[in-house]
Amino acid sequence: AVCSMGNSTSRLYSVLAKTLSSGAVSQHQDCLEQLDSAQLDPIDPKDLLEECQIVLQKRPPRFQRNFVNLKKNTGSNHRPIRVMQWNILAQALGEGKDNFVQCPMEALKWEERKCLILEEILAYKPDILCLQEVDHYFDTFEPLLSRLGYQCTFFPKPWSPCLDVEHNNGPDGCAMFFLKERFELVSSANIRLTAMKLKTNQVAIAQTLKCHETGRLFCIAVTHLKARTGWERFRSAQGCDLLQNLKSITQGAKIPLIVCGDFNAEPTEEVYREFSNSSLNLNSAYKLLSPDGQTEPPYTTWKIRPSGECRHTLDYIWYSQHALNVNSALGLLTEEQIGPNRLPSFNYPSDHLSLVCDFSFNQDPDRLL
């Protein structure tokens, strides 16, 4: 078998095709979880990017986004840690349930859309990548990103809505990837979030990493809270549960923390206030792009559904402001770039924008504790 990427057969994908065809995923999930991708040859990211661009040659070029320098004089000579947060839109939901009325089905074809996702990741070269709505982990992201040098972790939702879609590729969930050359895994926790003491369908991954260059420990977490209006109290309870777990993992903020997520909550919601006022001393990195440093972006997702246009700020990168500095953040797409039909589109693969920040360790982390 050979995995096709668009109209061309990929040299890289053909290596994986024998064990990782999409059709095999749902039937042989157990085998795939045990696959040792370390045995596969490393990939040069330039080669993979070239493969993607061949597939995407009939699509418009990738949008240009610029990093905004936010660096104060930190005195750090160490390389910053680049963190990328992104709800990539589960393929089964994009094609089967989300009903983006202005997005042609042709734009959602997985063979091309996966290349748009990979192109975005390869363009920003994150040291740590946090994704939501991943339903092609075993046949796409784990085999490819592990060969790019990432250690990969996936935690699916217990009852993923993807499973209700015909010809689905298994459940969606949260995924985390970090570069092994930069970090060592100290501990990892898969967290099924609770609300009112009941287990819910939402999950999180929290990993404590040691930075090889600085020797410093920090915790990175990824989550995706319950969607839709009317569930504000539920999200608030999930946020409280996650914060309690993170307090334990970080020993009450002794270990610096970064939390990435699609919170499905505007800044006006209770769960946002819980994170802002937590004893973990967290700040939202993307507020720093605003003139006053106190205002979230006007949107991180923008789509058109049968019920109308949805423009919301739902995605965040929270960080320990006593221990970490935000050196820079990736600017968002403008309304003009997004275009009148909004997202997703032939230009952009998801209904959510990726967020990317460069962090450095504060040289005197105890001064604000």
Side-chain angles (χ1 to χ4, degrees):
V2 172
C3 281
S4 165
M5 287 179 71
N7 297 321
S8 67
T9 298
S10 164
R11 297 187 302 274
L12 298 171
Y13 270 59
S14 63
V15 177
L16 306 171
K18 291 174 186 172
T19 51
L20 292 171
S21 68
S22 291
V25 172
S26 56
Q27 298 170 38
H28 306 297
Q29 196 89 336
D30 293 340
C31 293
L32 290 170
E33 291 189 42
Q34 294 165 20
L35 180 77
D36 185 2
S37 295
Q39 295 173 357
L40 299 171
D41 293 333
I43 300 173
D44 185 326
K46 291 178 183 173
D47 289 341
L48 181 55
L49 184 58
E50 186 182 310
E51 291 281 343
C52 291
Q53 288 168 345
I54 290 169
V55 174
L56 298 171
Q57 55 193 339
K58 292 183 180 176
R59 292 210 180 199
R62 205 175 58 80
F63 291 126
Q64 183 62 40
R65 297 167 66 186
N66 297 316
F67 280 90
V68 179
N69 185 14
L70 303 166
K71 189 173 183 178
K72 298 168 184 167
N73 186 16
T74 61
S76 172
N77 297 319
H78 298 294
R79 279 185 299 163
I81 296 169
R82 177 162 290 182
V83 176
M84 184 173 188
Q85 147 61 29
W86 199 12
N87 178 333
I88 60 171
L89 174 60
Q91 184 63 20
L93 300 184
E95 286 186 308
K97 282 199 161 197
D98 276 344
N99 217 349
F100 302 115
V101 291
Q102 298 294 327
C103 179
M105 285 302 289
E106 185 74 10
L108 295 170
K109 274 174 55 178
W110 179 244
E111 295 305 315
E112 294 182 11
R113 196 171 78 86
K114 69 184 172 189
C115 292
L116 277 178
I117 296 169
L118 290 166
E119 186 183 45
E120 181 98 342
I121 294 167
L122 291 163
Y124 299 122
K125 303 180 182 127
D127 299 305
I128 302 170
L129 173 63
C130 294
L131 302 179
Q132 298 87 34
E133 290 200 22
V134 179
D135 63 345
H136 274 271
Y137 177 80
F138 293 105
D139 68 337
T140 300
F141 295 104
E142 194 274 344
L144 284 176
L145 291 173
S146 64
R147 295 175 69 191
L148 290 169
Y150 290 91
Q151 184 155 328
C152 314
T153 305
F154 176 60
F155 192 24
K157 292 175 184 170
W159 314 296
S160 167
C162 292
L163 299 177
D164 296 333
V165 179
E166 196 175 358
H167 308 304
N168 68 76
N169 199 61
D172 77 300
C174 291
M176 186 183 292
F177 310 84
F178 67 84
L179 285 177
K180 290 185 283 187
E181 69 170 19
R182 293 215 63 186
F183 312 108
E184 172 191 339
L185 180 63
V186 176
S187 66
S188 184
N190 287 354
I191 303 164
R192 184 171 171 188
L193 298 175
T194 64
M196 301 83 163
K197 298 186 179 177
L198 297 173
K199 291 182 178 178
T200 73
N201 195 33
Q202 280 64 47
V203 300
I205 303 168
Q207 297 190 330
T208 303
L209 306 180
K210 182 178 182 181
C211 177
H212 291 316
E213 197 173 343
T214 63
R216 299 278 291 271
L217 293 179
F218 67 100
C219 177
I220 177 85
V222 58
T223 195
H224 188 188
L225 302 188
K226 172 69 181 165
R228 297 197 178 88
T229 55
W231 292 85
E232 291 81 6
R233 287 185 63 197
F234 197 83
R235 279 191 287 276
S236 173
Q238 289 183 325
C240 285
D241 183 48
L242 179 57
L243 286 167
Q244 282 301 118
N245 276 280
L246 293 173
K247 282 173 190 171
S248 173
I249 291 167
T250 61
Q251 300 165 27
K254 287 182 182 172
I255 298 172
L257 173 64
I258 299 170
V259 185
C260 295
D262 174 358
F263 279 61
N264 275 307
E266 291 272 11
T268 52
E269 271 198 37
E270 182 64 31
V271 68
Y272 183 93
R273 290 192 290 275
E274 285 161 3
F275 270 73
S276 294
N277 300 327
S278 162
S279 62
L280 293 173
N281 196 18
L282 299 173
N283 193 20
S284 174
Y286 263 72
K287 280 174 24 180
L288 302 179
L289 287 180
S290 66
D292 63 359
Q294 299 297 316
T295 310
E296 292 289 352
Y299 52 84
T300 62
T301 179
W302 202 341
K303 65 204 101 179
I304 301 174
R305 287 183 165 143
S307 56
E309 195 159 343
C310 310
R311 177 180 179 265
H312 298 293
T313 299
L314 306 177
D315 308 88
Y316 306 96
I317 300 179
W318 297 91
Y319 70 102
S320 299
Q321 55 189 338
H322 64 278
L324 295 165
N325 298 296
V326 185
N327 295 5
S328 62
L330 182 65
L332 300 171
L333 291 177
T334 64
E335 180 176 357
E336 184 181 25
Q337 285 176 311
I338 289 171
N341 293 332
R342 310 314 184 198
L343 305 173
S345 65
F346 281 109
N347 302 71
Y348 199 79
S350 177
D351 54 324
H352 289 253
L353 299 177
S354 63
L355 308 182
V356 187
C357 291
D358 290 336
F359 291 97
S360 60
F361 289 104
N362 192 319
Q363 296 307 291
D364 185 14
D366 298 324
R367 66 187 174 88
L368 293 179
L369 284 179

